[in-house]
Amino acid sequence: MRQRILIISALLELYALLLANLQALGGVRTDEAKYLLNIPYPHPPLLRWIIHSTEFIPFQEMLWRVLLASLLAQSVWFVWDMARDHHLPDRMLACGAWLLSTGVLLQAGSIVLAPVTAVEALVLLWLASRRDLLERFGGWIAVFWLTSLFTAYQAVLYTPLVWRLLRSKERIACIIGVPILLLALYALSNPISLASFLVHDPSGALLLSQRAWDFARDWMLGGSLLISAVGTWGILRSRDRSLLAAFLLTTLYVLFARREYNAVLFTPLFVAGVASLCAERHHPHSFPLLACFAAAAGILTSLSPPSRVPGPARATMRAIATKQKTGDLMIAGSFGHEWEFESAVPVRHYAPHHLAEAQAVVCLSPCDPPLDSIEWKRLPTAPVEAWVRK
């Protein structure tokens, strides 16, 4: 048995490495750069501080891609234990619902916090199935819950799952109320962070039909469509009020939050719904359904794959770095945090009256006024318009 577990764990790790490398093909995205650089929004500081503390490691980016991909892949053991009373085919079906969801396939290996929050929800669902552990280690729920809240605001969506784990009003007030109060105090001390989390369409101009389509897309990607449908049906049939409440909260949030990585927030809930259906009775068609899960995952992932083409920031900064000048980097136009991550020098918005302090200028939009070719030299190898001081 131990040898079998080691073999499966190794295969899961290979699966994680594959997904991490697929994510790495697209380079560092702007949201990933925020956590690598510990930029204080939109989430609380715990995990982004831990990620930033490894900046001295030359392969920091790849290290966290592998760690986070491994976290998602190896979390299937929680699902395996949640379904311990099921028949083996049904148990494998529940595990397949996690590993084959598009939310996991598209987010494993990305350096964002939504997949971590999804794993935290999966742990809460697992704890609900292990009352023996709750009796012995109930106090650790408070620590885990506080850690979850200070990792990402979205953990609040799973408050009903924590509520289900508690039995007395005193424990509910202490374990749920106190961490949320601390999170509220932190949010009030950092209003920009809270605003960036809550406000996704400040103009309010997004059409209802577009919101509905964005929600439908995230719902489908959260479980590869087929897992989404089976999981939602299982949630509705389960009569588990805490699971249904968490699903409704997540639905409301995703409906108004336009972020491509929000789909994975549905995934642990869909897995719980699939496991709930399997608990009702033995399903003789579990293996064919598992094959359908895999086919649906392949189709949806191929229709919306992670970007395999890196942005211009890394190649541009490498071209500039070869010139070994001193001074800041100025960028004309709108740019993301990935430019700050790739740059070894401070990055500033283009300001002609401060050009004397710059060693290089990148023109993502036309530089106004244009640079003097007598003092500046354009880099022909850069993928965008870039100039260095002669």
Side-chain angles (χ1 to χ4, degrees), residues 273-291:
V274 171
S276 176
L277 283 178
C278 293
E280 295 180 5
R281 66 182 191 278
H282 173 53
H283 291 73
H285 304 297
S286 293
F287 283 136
L289 185 56
L290 183 60

Side-chain angles (χ1 to χ4, degrees), residues 1 7-8 29 58 76 95 103 116 132 162 190 193 205 234 263 268 292 297 303 338 358 385:
M1 177 62 72
I7 292 173
I8 295 174
R29 290 81 162 174
V76 75
C95 291
V116 178
D132 57 323
V162 184
N190 193 353
S193 172
C292 292
L303 291 176
E338 70 273 16
E385 183 181 347

Side-chain angles (χ1 to χ4, degrees), residues 137-146 149 162-163 165-180:
F137 306 107
W140 287 102
I141 296 176
V143 177
F144 180 76
W145 178 234
L146 183 65
L149 288 174
V162 184
W163 190 289
L165 301 177
L166 310 175
R167 293 187 175 182
S168 67
K169 293 181 179 179
E170 292 78 11
R171 294 180 73 185
I172 289 174
C174 180
I175 293 179
I176 293 183
V178 173
I180 290 181

Side-chain angles (χ1 to χ4, degrees), residues 87-337:
H87 292 82
L88 179 60
D90 295 337
R91 205 174 182 185
M92 295 180 66
L93 182 68
C95 291
W98 175 259
L99 293 174
L100 297 173
S101 69
T102 320
V104 169
L105 289 168
L106 294 180
Q107 293 301 321
S110 60
I111 310 174
V112 292
L113 302 186
V116 178
T117 305
V119 171
E120 290 165 347
L122 189 64
V123 172
L124 293 174
L125 292 164
W126 169 70
L127 285 171
S129 71
R130 295 299 303 264
R131 286 290 176 181
D132 57 323
L133 295 179
L134 292 178
E135 296 298 331
R136 287 186 292 165
F137 306 107
W140 287 102
I141 296 176
V143 177
F144 180 76
W145 178 234
L146 183 65
T147 300
S148 300
L149 288 174
F150 276 83
T151 295
Y153 283 119
Q154 285 101 330
V156 174
L157 303 174
Y158 304 121
T159 303
L161 303 180
V162 184
W163 190 289
R164 178 171 61 172
L165 301 177
L166 310 175
R167 293 187 175 182
S168 67
K169 293 181 179 179
E170 292 78 11
R171 294 180 73 185
I172 289 174
C174 180
I175 293 179
I176 293 183
V178 173
I180 290 181
L181 177 61
L182 292 174
L183 183 65
L185 292 174
Y186 168 78
L188 291 175
S189 70
N190 193 353
I192 295 178
S193 172
L194 185 61
S196 64
F197 170 72
L198 294 175
V199 180
H200 299 276
D201 182 28
S203 67
L206 195 64
L207 295 175
L208 182 61
S209 58
Q210 184 62 47
R211 288 189 186 277
W213 165 247
D214 289 342
F215 168 77
R217 179 201 60 205
D218 289 341
W219 177 83
M220 288 188 292
L221 294 180
S224 306
L225 181 59
L226 185 56
I227 299 171
S228 305
V230 175
T232 301
W233 179 241
I235 292 170
L236 297 176
R237 284 183 58 90
S238 69
R239 298 181 182 177
D240 185 331
R241 288 181 293 181
S242 62
L243 180 59
L244 181 59
F247 177 70
L248 291 176
L249 285 175
T250 305
T251 296
L252 289 173
Y253 174 72
V254 173
L255 187 61
F256 293 98
R258 298 170 58 216
R259 294 289 188 272
E260 60 183 12
Y261 44 76
N262 282 335
V264 76
L265 299 176
F266 279 121
T267 305
L269 306 177
F270 290 154
V271 170
V274 171
S276 176
L277 283 178
C278 293
E280 295 180 5
R281 66 182 191 278
H282 173 53
H283 291 73
H285 304 297
S286 293
F287 283 136
L289 185 56
L290 183 60
C292 292
F293 282 180
I299 293 172
L300 264 76
T301 303
S302 65
L303 291 176
S304 56
S307 174
R308 295 190 293 270
V309 180
R314 179 165 297 180
T316 303
M317 292 312 305
R318 285 177 177 172
I320 291 173
T322 60
K323 303 305 174 182
Q324 297 182 348
K325 302 287 185 178
T326 59
D328 297 341
L329 167 68
M330 288 189 177
I331 302 180
S334 178
F335 60 94
H337 294 292

